Short mmCIF file of all heavy atoms in Angstrom, two decimals:
data_model
loop_
_atom_site.label_atom_id
_atom_site.label_comp_id
_atom_site.label_asym_id
_atom_site.label_seq_id
_atom_site.Cartn_x
_atom_site.Cartn_y
_atom_site.Cartn_z
N GLU A 165 -18.77 96.79 120.51
CA GLU A 165 -19.80 97.73 120.08
C GLU A 165 -19.49 98.43 118.76
O GLU A 165 -20.36 99.11 118.21
CB GLU A 165 -20.11 98.74 121.18
CG GLU A 165 -20.81 98.10 122.36
CD GLU A 165 -21.30 99.10 123.39
OE1 GLU A 165 -21.23 100.32 123.14
OE2 GLU A 165 -21.76 98.63 124.45
N ARG A 166 -18.27 98.25 118.23
CA ARG A 166 -17.98 98.81 116.90
C ARG A 166 -18.87 98.17 115.85
O ARG A 166 -19.05 98.73 114.77
CB ARG A 166 -16.51 98.56 116.52
CG ARG A 166 -15.52 99.35 117.33
CD ARG A 166 -14.11 99.00 116.92
NE ARG A 166 -13.91 97.57 117.08
CZ ARG A 166 -12.99 96.86 116.45
NH1 ARG A 166 -12.16 97.44 115.61
NH2 ARG A 166 -12.86 95.57 116.65
N PHE A 167 -19.42 96.99 116.13
CA PHE A 167 -20.26 96.28 115.17
C PHE A 167 -21.74 96.34 115.54
O PHE A 167 -22.56 95.69 114.91
CB PHE A 167 -19.80 94.82 115.08
CG PHE A 167 -18.39 94.70 114.61
CD1 PHE A 167 -17.35 94.53 115.51
CD2 PHE A 167 -18.08 94.80 113.26
CE1 PHE A 167 -16.05 94.44 115.09
CE2 PHE A 167 -16.76 94.71 112.83
CZ PHE A 167 -15.74 94.54 113.74
N GLY A 168 -22.07 97.11 116.57
CA GLY A 168 -23.45 97.25 116.98
C GLY A 168 -23.72 96.57 118.31
O GLY A 168 -22.88 95.83 118.83
N ILE A 169 -24.89 96.83 118.83
CA ILE A 169 -25.32 96.25 120.10
C ILE A 169 -26.44 95.27 119.78
O ILE A 169 -27.57 95.67 119.46
CB ILE A 169 -25.80 97.37 121.06
CG1 ILE A 169 -24.69 98.39 121.27
CG2 ILE A 169 -26.27 96.76 122.37
CD1 ILE A 169 -25.15 99.68 121.93
N PRO A 170 -26.15 93.96 119.85
CA PRO A 170 -27.14 92.95 119.49
C PRO A 170 -28.39 93.00 120.38
O PRO A 170 -28.30 93.21 121.58
CB PRO A 170 -26.40 91.63 119.69
CG PRO A 170 -24.95 91.99 119.66
CD PRO A 170 -24.87 93.37 120.22
N GLN A 171 -29.53 92.78 119.75
CA GLN A 171 -30.81 92.75 120.45
C GLN A 171 -31.31 91.31 120.60
O GLN A 171 -32.42 91.09 121.08
CB GLN A 171 -31.84 93.60 119.70
CG GLN A 171 -31.42 95.05 119.55
CD GLN A 171 -31.16 95.71 120.88
OE1 GLN A 171 -32.05 95.87 121.69
NE2 GLN A 171 -29.89 96.07 121.14
N ARG A 172 -30.49 90.35 120.18
CA ARG A 172 -30.83 88.94 120.32
C ARG A 172 -29.53 88.15 120.43
O ARG A 172 -28.47 88.65 120.07
CB ARG A 172 -31.72 88.45 119.19
CG ARG A 172 -31.30 88.93 117.81
CD ARG A 172 -32.33 88.72 116.74
NE ARG A 172 -32.57 87.32 116.46
CZ ARG A 172 -33.46 86.88 115.59
NH1 ARG A 172 -34.22 87.72 114.93
NH2 ARG A 172 -33.62 85.59 115.39
N ASP A 173 -29.63 86.92 120.89
CA ASP A 173 -28.41 86.16 121.19
C ASP A 173 -28.08 85.06 120.17
O ASP A 173 -27.24 84.21 120.43
CB ASP A 173 -28.47 85.56 122.60
CG ASP A 173 -29.63 84.59 122.78
OD1 ASP A 173 -30.34 84.28 121.79
OD2 ASP A 173 -29.82 84.13 123.92
N ASP A 174 -28.72 85.10 119.00
CA ASP A 174 -28.50 84.04 118.01
C ASP A 174 -27.87 84.56 116.71
O ASP A 174 -28.02 83.95 115.65
CB ASP A 174 -29.82 83.34 117.69
CG ASP A 174 -30.86 84.28 117.08
OD1 ASP A 174 -30.69 85.52 117.18
OD2 ASP A 174 -31.84 83.77 116.51
N LEU A 175 -27.12 85.65 116.79
CA LEU A 175 -26.55 86.24 115.58
C LEU A 175 -25.23 85.56 115.21
O LEU A 175 -24.40 85.28 116.07
CB LEU A 175 -26.32 87.74 115.77
CG LEU A 175 -27.56 88.57 116.10
CD1 LEU A 175 -27.18 90.04 116.21
CD2 LEU A 175 -28.66 88.37 115.09
N GLU A 176 -25.08 85.31 113.94
CA GLU A 176 -23.83 84.80 113.36
C GLU A 176 -23.81 85.22 111.91
O GLU A 176 -24.82 85.61 111.34
CB GLU A 176 -23.72 83.29 113.52
CG GLU A 176 -24.82 82.52 112.81
CD GLU A 176 -24.77 81.02 113.06
OE1 GLU A 176 -23.87 80.56 113.77
OE2 GLU A 176 -25.64 80.32 112.53
N PHE A 177 -22.64 85.15 111.30
CA PHE A 177 -22.49 85.48 109.89
C PHE A 177 -22.42 84.20 109.07
O PHE A 177 -21.75 83.25 109.46
CB PHE A 177 -21.19 86.27 109.65
CG PHE A 177 -21.18 87.62 110.30
CD1 PHE A 177 -20.45 87.84 111.45
CD2 PHE A 177 -21.89 88.67 109.75
CE1 PHE A 177 -20.42 89.09 112.05
CE2 PHE A 177 -21.87 89.92 110.34
CZ PHE A 177 -21.13 90.13 111.49
N GLU A 178 -23.12 84.18 107.94
CA GLU A 178 -23.03 83.04 107.03
C GLU A 178 -22.33 83.50 105.75
O GLU A 178 -22.60 84.58 105.23
CB GLU A 178 -24.40 82.48 106.67
CG GLU A 178 -24.28 81.26 105.75
CD GLU A 178 -25.57 80.54 105.48
OE1 GLU A 178 -26.60 80.89 106.09
OE2 GLU A 178 -25.56 79.61 104.65
#
Side-chain angles (χ1 to χ4, degrees):
E165 291 188 8
R166 291 178 303 158
F167 299 98
I169 303 166
Q171 301 303 295
R172 44 193 294 177
D173 62 5
D174 62 344
L175 302 182
E176 62 185 358
F177 295 104
E178 181 173 355

